[in-house]
Amino acid sequence: MLRLGIKQKNWLLSAHVAFAALWTGTVLSMFLLALRNQHSASAEVLQALNSAINLLDDYVVIPAAIGSLFTGTLLCWLTIWGFFKHYWVIAKWIATVALIVFGTFWLFPWANATTAISETQRLQALENPLYNFDAKGVLVGTIVQVVCLVVIIAVSLLKPWGRRTVKAQEQTNSAPAS
């Protein structure tokens, strides 16, 4: 099987870390904008902040999340870490995919809805229950994503659970051929 050399692995790992940092920082920025947006007194500010959240989601978070998943896949495939050899890799995979699914089916639609409502209803959007629900969803969803991403980064650095032992595989590999 093809394996990366040390320099190639380090470049790929650097790209993976960069994508994760970009994803985390941008979602934190979205949270801060959503937090500031709760107290908008101007229709222009309300719409601008919603638009900024939407743009960050569309043009930074989505590519960074995909880049993180893609580089993580390559690291698993092309290094000794593998996909299922280590508990920490499995945990990162599950968490990353869960965050991408959450962002795709909940956070992204909430951000789009707040932008659309604030564009049409202006400052009256703050009195719209649907707008308030979606705005709270963006606020809570972004902080959940930031916390999860920080945990994923910590797991990457600490590698707390180590290597899996798979007894069925070991017995099959050590059994003499007939």
Side-chain angles (χ1 to χ4, degrees), residues 55-92:
L55 285 170
L56 287 172
D57 194 27
D58 290 350
Y59 295 104
V60 183
V61 171
I62 292 170
I66 292 169
S68 181
L69 185 65
F70 180 70
T71 55
T73 301
L74 290 176
L75 283 166
C76 288
W77 184 34
L78 300 173
T79 67
I80 60 168
W81 289 328
F83 289 96
F84 304 107
K85 290 180 183 178
H86 303 274
Y87 288 111
W88 63 271
V89 173
I90 296 168
K92 281 183 60 176

Side-chain angles (χ1 to χ4, degrees), residues 10 49 53 173:
N10 287 341
L49 291 173
I53 290 168
N173 291 339

Side-chain angles (χ1 to χ4, degrees), residues 64-137:
I66 292 169
S68 181
L69 185 65
F70 180 70
T71 55
T73 301
L74 290 176
L75 283 166
C76 288
W77 184 34
L78 300 173
T79 67
I80 60 168
W81 289 328
F83 289 96
F84 304 107
K85 290 180 183 178
H86 303 274
Y87 288 111
W88 63 271
V89 173
I90 296 168
K92 281 183 60 176
W93 265 97
I94 292 169
T96 299
V97 170
L99 285 177
I100 290 172
V101 168
F102 172 72
T104 301
F105 293 107
W106 287 280
L107 193 54
F108 179 74
W110 288 333
N112 285 339
T114 58
T115 302
I117 293 169
S118 66
E119 283 175 355
T120 59
Q121 295 183 1
R122 317 258 312 142
L123 207 50
Q124 287 79 24
L126 294 173
E127 298 170 12
N128 182 332
L130 181 59
Y131 174 84
N132 287 324
F133 176 82
D134 291 335
K136 292 279 190 236

Side-chain angles (χ1 to χ4, degrees), residues 12-29:
L12 185 58
L13 185 58
S14 296
H16 184 65
V17 169
F19 281 124
L22 186 59
W23 185 5
T24 306
T26 305
V27 174
L28 178 59
S29 298

